[in-house]
Amino acid sequence: MLEHLEDHERIPYICRLLYEAYRLPVTWLNPKGETVQALHPFGHTRPPVEGIQGLPAEVLERIQAAAGSRNDSRTAAFPRICTTAYLENFIILPLCGKLEQTGAVVIGPSLYAPLTEENAGTLLRDHNTPPGEQEAWLQYYRRLPALDRMRLCHAAILLYTLATGQTLSVSELLLDSTLLQPAQLRDSTPDLNLSYRRENTWLHHDPSQERELFRHIRNGDKSGLLQTHAGFNEDQYGLLSKKSQLRSKKNLAISSITLATRAAIDGGLFWEIAYTLSDFHIQHIEELQDIPAVDRAQLAALCEFADHVKDNRRSKLSRTSALCQNYIFNHLYEELTLSKLAGVAGLNASYLSQLFKKETGLAVSDYIQRERIEEAKRLMEWPGISLSDIATRLHFNDQSYFTKVFKKYTGITPKQFRHDRGIT
């Protein structure tokens, strides 16, 4: 592809091309780890970590590991997508060339998505980062570019193809053997554990019970759900943590909520509502400190999924109207128009307007207004968010218009709503 260029011309050209295309730091290192070329070089602003030499040293170790696994049928090792314990992503491509200093091309660091301050704080606490050092880390994370997983894979493939002239698929990249090393299990193996359970007739629950449980959620049948759940024996649950019974219970609860989320979506629940419910209940369970509380929270979560599916089915909407409602729910903070919804539904705007009003009893614009008022009520439960900010975020022209629409659907003004709930 670039055979007419020598290595000392070709590699800088590739680095520049990748930098311009993705705006990620790109560095060419020689085999000693010395920088030959750096475009927005990595690692210089990362806060120090006790016991770790630094980000460049950590990346160099990854390069050496990748270089040791070269496939002789290719002119370079596979690119590696590596993620550090602090969630920084790198693409590493060891190179083979005539020059001694061919070394490797490194793209990164980057994040899969921008880290919120809350998520970054949680991550830093996991690493026992002293509070006095957290602000430096937050500033560091704010400066890191974000590139989602699939785009990072394509960047790795583009780098490989430009460097070698060879093709590479996403599946080849992800299925590379060095990325899928089997976990080394200590003390026991699944086969031995299975033999022990069978010998002592300590068996897991019948999978038909599980299917029945989630069928009730899919059908919105809370009564059937409760009956089936009562049939599960405590000693038939798996053990998901050897060190902590509480942790094992939490893991089981989280697994069941994950499956319930899928069952509710299959039952017609808007997927954003289902995922939001899942997040809420899992976060709640993680905060609990005793097993009975986890058991109660798990059952309450499953029941709530069934209730939501039931409520959703009562509306008896066509797939088109349900699709529009789901789109409105997911894009409430964006500009919403009838023509945009018609494009989503693949229908004529006039026909969609008639169908939606016939099935919901509301014009599309009225439905959007009502949903925005419901969202405004949720936002107003949080102190510190001004009414003018809420009006702006939900696309009301001004605060007086927001007040007028709010009173239309609630019978009171936003200020009265907050006053009644003791929110300042």
Side-chain angles (χ1 to χ4, degrees):
M1 185 177 293
L2 301 174
E3 295 86 352
H4 63 286
L5 297 177
E6 296 292 333
D7 280 353
H8 69 276
E9 298 173 314
R10 182 169 54 90
I11 297 173
Y13 174 80
I14 292 171
C15 290
R16 171 61 63 179
L17 198 61
L18 267 295
Y19 174 72
E20 294 294 344
Y22 292 96
R23 287 294 166 180
L24 299 179
V26 181
T27 308
W28 175 18
L29 302 174
N30 67 21
K32 297 179 182 179
E34 299 165 341
T35 300
V36 181
Q37 179 187 20
L39 302 170
H40 199 304
F42 67 81
H44 300 305
T45 58
R46 189 213 215 191
V49 179
E50 186 176 353
I52 298 179
Q53 295 182 34
L55 188 53
E58 187 175 344
V59 172
L60 185 58
E61 289 181 9
R62 304 284 185 117
I63 292 172
Q64 292 166 346
S69 61
R70 283 179 175 164
N71 184 337
D72 291 336
S73 67
R74 297 175 182 266
T75 58
F78 271 23
R80 302 285 184 266
I81 296 178
C82 306
T83 302
T84 71
Y86 287 87
L87 301 187
E88 302 135 312
N89 299 318
F90 290 91
I91 299 169
I92 297 172
L93 180 68
L95 298 170
C96 301
K98 299 176 183 178
L99 298 178
E100 271 189 16
Q101 64 177 54
T102 300
V105 172
V106 178
I107 301 178
S110 67
L111 300 169
Y112 282 133
L115 276 180
T116 65
E117 190 165 323
E118 181 181 2
N119 289 343
T122 303
L123 175 64
L124 295 173
R125 285 194 294 274
D126 288 342
H127 288 287
N128 299 314
T129 304
E133 298 176 11
Q134 291 191 11
E135 182 56 36
W137 275 98
L138 292 174
Q139 292 181 15
Y140 170 65
Y141 280 128
R142 291 186 197 113
R143 287 192 290 265
L144 287 184
L147 201 68
D148 65 48
R149 192 183 304 270
M150 186 55 70
R151 289 196 68 208
L152 199 67
C153 287
H154 286 140
I157 292 169
L158 179 59
L159 170 62
Y160 179 82
T161 300
L162 288 172
T164 69
Q166 300 184 42
T167 60
L168 184 66
S169 69
V170 172
S171 59
E172 285 179 305
L173 175 68
L174 297 179
L175 290 173
D176 184 25
S177 60
T178 61
L179 296 178
L180 298 174
Q181 293 294 331
Q184 299 298 313
L185 302 178
R186 296 176 294 177
D187 303 328
S188 183
T189 67
D191 288 342
L192 289 176
N193 188 262
L194 176 60
S195 298
Y196 177 81
R197 296 179 72 96
R198 292 171 66 193
E199 181 183 0
N200 292 277
T201 61
W202 180 35
L203 305 176
H204 287 86
H205 59 268
D206 188 326
S208 64
Q209 279 183 287
E210 185 178 288
R211 287 194 293 269
E212 186 74 0
L213 183 77
F214 294 109
R215 182 178 68 82
H216 291 312
I217 292 176
R218 192 162 52 249
N219 293 336
D221 180 6
K222 184 165 68 174
S223 177
L225 162 69
L226 291 169
Q227 291 181 35
T228 302
H229 185 270
F232 280 80
N233 293 324
E234 184 67 25
D235 60 359
Q236 289 182 317
Y237 292 121
L239 183 65
L240 301 188
S241 173
K242 292 183 177 181
K243 295 182 179 180
S244 166
Q245 187 66 21
L246 177 61
R247 182 68 260 167
S248 181
K249 273 288 186 180
K250 287 184 177 182
N251 290 346
L252 284 165
I254 291 167
S255 299
S256 69
I257 289 172
T258 301
L259 293 171
T261 304
R262 278 30 177 204
I265 292 172
D266 288 344
L269 186 62
F270 296 166
W271 54 264
E272 188 60 33
I273 294 177
Y275 288 137
T276 301
L277 278 176
S278 174
D279 291 348
F280 172 80
H281 285 291
I282 290 174
Q283 289 166 10
H284 173 61
I285 284 171
E286 282 291 355
E287 297 298 320
L288 300 177
Q289 297 302 318
D290 63 80
I291 289 173
V294 172
D295 288 339
R296 290 192 298 270
Q298 176 189 4
L299 185 55
L302 300 183
C303 288
E304 186 168 6
F305 276 111
D307 283 339
H308 272 275
V309 172
K310 183 179 180 180
D311 291 342
N312 189 61
R313 290 191 167 194
R314 280 177 180 163
S315 63
K316 297 181 181 178
L317 297 178
S318 68
R319 185 180 180 280
T320 298
S321 293
L323 177 67
C324 290
Q325 287 190 350
N326 193 34
Y327 186 86
I328 291 167
F329 182 88
N330 293 339
H331 299 268
L332 206 56
Y333 288 84
E334 301 172 20
E335 193 68 45
L336 289 168
T337 62
L338 176 61
S339 60
K340 183 175 287 187
L341 288 171
V344 170
L347 294 174
N348 173 272
S350 178
Y351 175 73
L352 174 63
S353 177
Q354 294 174 20
L355 175 65
F356 192 90
K357 186 167 185 178
K358 179 182 177 182
E359 294 189 348
T360 67
L362 290 171
V364 170
S365 58
D366 290 335
Y367 180 84
I368 293 170
Q369 275 193 348
R370 190 189 72 179
E371 290 301 296
R372 282 182 167 151
I373 293 303
E374 289 301 311
E375 183 69 6
K377 287 161 64 177
R378 285 188 282 271
L379 293 176
M380 287 162 62
E381 296 283 353
W382 292 89
I385 304 179
S386 69
L387 296 179
S388 60
D389 185 32
I390 292 173
T392 300
R393 289 163 73 173
L394 291 172
H395 292 272
F396 290 97
N397 295 334
D398 51 53
Q399 193 171 333
S400 62
Y401 179 61
F402 169 60
T403 299
K404 178 182 177 181
V405 176
F406 190 93
K407 190 171 183 179
K408 172 184 173 182
Y409 287 101
T410 67
I412 58 176
T413 67
K415 288 183 178 180
Q416 288 174 312
F417 179 87
R418 275 191 156 169
H419 180 268
D420 291 346
R421 284 158 177 75
I423 303 167
T424 57

